[in-house]
Amino acid sequence: MLKKSLSTKYTVRSSRNTVTLSWDLVMTSMECCGVNNYTDFSQARKFVAASREEGVGRKVPEACCILQGDHSLLQPADENCVVSPSTTNSYLFKGCYNKFLHLVSENLNLVFGCLVGVGAVQFVAIVFAFCVSVLGMHTQIYRN
């Protein structure tokens, strides 16, 4: 699903859509590039077509580059990064999927704690709804 969204919807910065904005946000905040790595963009149809139209020879989007200043501006520290990405100017070999898995595995206690917390809140809500229902039935019996 992740790879499909990237390969069918992702495009260049000048013609952004919601998928492009979302991926750019993920890649800049997690400091990663693509689902697996930078080669995912060679299969992104809209990205490849728009890159051809630009005529720059773009290989990766700005979000894959090491950025300077405000990350939302997508300003690469090395202006040649989109054309000639390397390990010194980009995150080309750091896939977002592996980075996400690593992040989750580092915070497994927090993930389980949140799941238990959500389950507890749902259980309390069910018990509360049951009590309100029983109270409503008893109220009807006493009225009759």
Side-chain angles (χ1 to χ4, degrees):
M1 185 167 102
L2 292 174
K3 199 152 184 165
K4 183 179 178 185
S5 74
L6 192 109
S7 65
T8 59
K9 304 271 196 253
Y10 192 88
T11 186
V12 294
R13 187 175 173 185
S14 59
S15 56
R16 282 184 178 162
N17 55 29
T18 53
V19 171
T20 303
L21 287 169
S22 300
W23 268 108
D24 285 349
L25 177 65
V26 167
M27 290 188 291
T28 56
S29 63
M30 292 183 67
E31 297 180 344
C32 56
C33 185
V35 177
N36 298 316
N37 59 37
Y38 80 102
T39 58
D40 294 337
F41 293 100
S42 64
Q43 298 155 10
R45 293 186 301 251
K46 289 184 178 183
F47 178 78
V48 170
S51 296
R52 274 197 205 115
E53 280 182 28
E54 282 181 336
V56 179
R58 171 188 303 270
K59 295 200 178 25
V60 295
E62 289 86 350
C64 285
C65 298
I66 295 173
L67 303 173
Q68 64 183 0
D70 185 8
H71 285 201
S72 64
L73 299 175
L74 296 177
Q75 195 68 354
D78 179 0
E79 59 188 45
N80 294 322
C81 174
V82 294
V83 177
S84 181
S86 68
T87 54
T88 57
N89 67 6
S90 70
Y91 307 108
L92 75 158
F93 294 115
K94 296 179 182 174
C96 295
Y97 183 72
N98 287 335
K99 200 118 188 212
F100 176 75
L101 289 180
H102 182 70
L103 182 69
V104 169
S105 68
E106 280 184 341
N107 298 296
L108 215 47
N109 291 339
L110 182 63
V111 171
F112 283 133
C114 288
L115 290 173
V116 167
V118 167
V121 167
Q122 287 181 347
F123 178 75
V124 168
I126 289 169
V127 168
F128 180 73
F130 178 74
C131 290
V132 168
S133 173
V134 168
L135 183 64
M137 285 190 320
H138 286 310
T139 304
Q140 277 184 340
I141 292 171
Y142 291 123
R143 283 187 189 166
N144 294 332

